[in-house]
Amino acid sequence: MSKTICFTGRRPKDLFGYYNYDAYKEIQDVLSPILEAHYTANGVRNAISGGAQGFDQLAFWTVYTFSKKHPDMKNTVYIPFYGQDGRWMENGLFGQHEYRRMLRLADEVKCVKDMLPDGDQYNIPALMMKRNEAMVDDADIVIALYPFDMDWKTMSGGTANCMRYAYRNHKPIQQIDPFTKQIQWV
């Protein structure tokens, strides 16, 4: 039976900004062998990313490239709601153009807003949290881009919250430090 991984990680403002292509390429260079190892050793054939700017999109594009070599790898995007890119710049590494391209190229797009009762559909932070929880619920392994020197167990923010949710639900977490490129299991 194939397994699923999901990705969670920081936004560009907490990483290397919106234009540092080289730094983001280094993260993808770290992620590629991790993906290969999970594919080979753990039978991972499904990947879920959250579509947000930063690591979510880097992970999607890494899986997209990986799937050219391994066509049985499914690349799914879970989005909190359609239009989440409304305030993003049009072009650039994490712009609307790349976001729309990602959604077109995904094997599947799941919209969390469409899965919730009507009353829950308009709270944007709650939708993002529900998106993260849905990804973790549907995954066997979580890959998190989060600095080792920050305590995700006590910090605020979406990535820390997602890691706590995965931890509480006994999902193994493989953490990548974006600055040192070191990897550890949580």
Side-chain angles (χ1 to χ4, degrees):
M1 179 173 199
S2 67
K3 292 191 176 179
T4 301
I5 57 172
C6 74
F7 303 96
T8 186
R10 314 285 311 263
R11 302 297 164 254
K13 68 179 182 63
D14 299 316
L15 294 170
F16 307 105
Y18 290 85
Y19 303 102
N20 192 338
Y21 292 90
D22 293 338
Y24 292 116
K25 174 73 171 95
E26 287 179 19
I27 290 174
Q28 287 181 299
D29 290 345
V30 170
L31 186 56
S32 290
I34 292 171
L35 193 56
E36 183 72 46
H38 285 296
Y39 180 89
T40 304
N42 299 325
V44 168
R45 297 297 183 272
N46 305 296
I48 303 169
S49 57
Q53 293 178 311
F55 187 59
D56 288 8
Q57 290 183 19
L58 291 175
F60 173 86
W61 292 114
T62 304
V63 173
Y64 180 77
T65 300
F66 182 84
S67 69
K68 300 298 179 194
K69 180 180 171 185
H70 301 286
D72 59 336
M73 186 68 162
K74 183 177 178 186
N75 200 0
T76 302
V77 180
Y78 282 35
I79 60 172
F81 56 93
Y82 285 100
Q84 80 166 331
D85 62 325
R87 294 185 176 174
W88 300 355
M89 60 190 159
E90 176 62 32
N91 295 304
L93 185 59
F94 303 113
Q96 292 177 1
H97 177 76
E98 286 300 304
Y99 176 77
R100 290 188 299 264
R101 183 172 168 251
M102 176 184 63
L103 296 184
R104 281 192 312 273
L105 294 172
D107 294 309
E108 183 177 11
V109 176
K110 290 189 176 187
C111 182
V112 172
K113 181 178 177 183
D114 295 342
M115 298 182 230
L116 298 176
D118 288 341
D120 295 335
Q121 292 184 346
Y122 301 102
N123 182 336
I124 290 174
L127 286 171
M128 292 185 179
M129 187 178 302
K130 291 288 185 192
R131 183 262 328 265
N132 289 347
E133 291 171 358
M135 292 189 324
V136 170
D137 290 343
D138 291 347
D140 300 293
I141 300 165
V142 177
I143 308 291
L145 185 74
Y146 200 82
F148 289 175
D149 64 351
M150 296 179 71
D151 185 3
W152 56 268
K153 291 180 181 176
T154 60
M155 297 295 291
S156 63
T159 302
N161 186 61
C162 186
M163 291 175 74
R164 284 191 297 274
Y165 183 80
Y167 186 79
R168 283 193 311 271
N169 286 280
H170 310 288
K171 303 285 176 126
I173 303 167
Q174 193 169 20
Q175 183 180 356
I176 304 167
D177 186 298
F179 305 107
T180 67
K181 312 303 183 285
Q182 294 179 339
I183 305 161
Q184 69 182 10
W185 285 96
V186 174

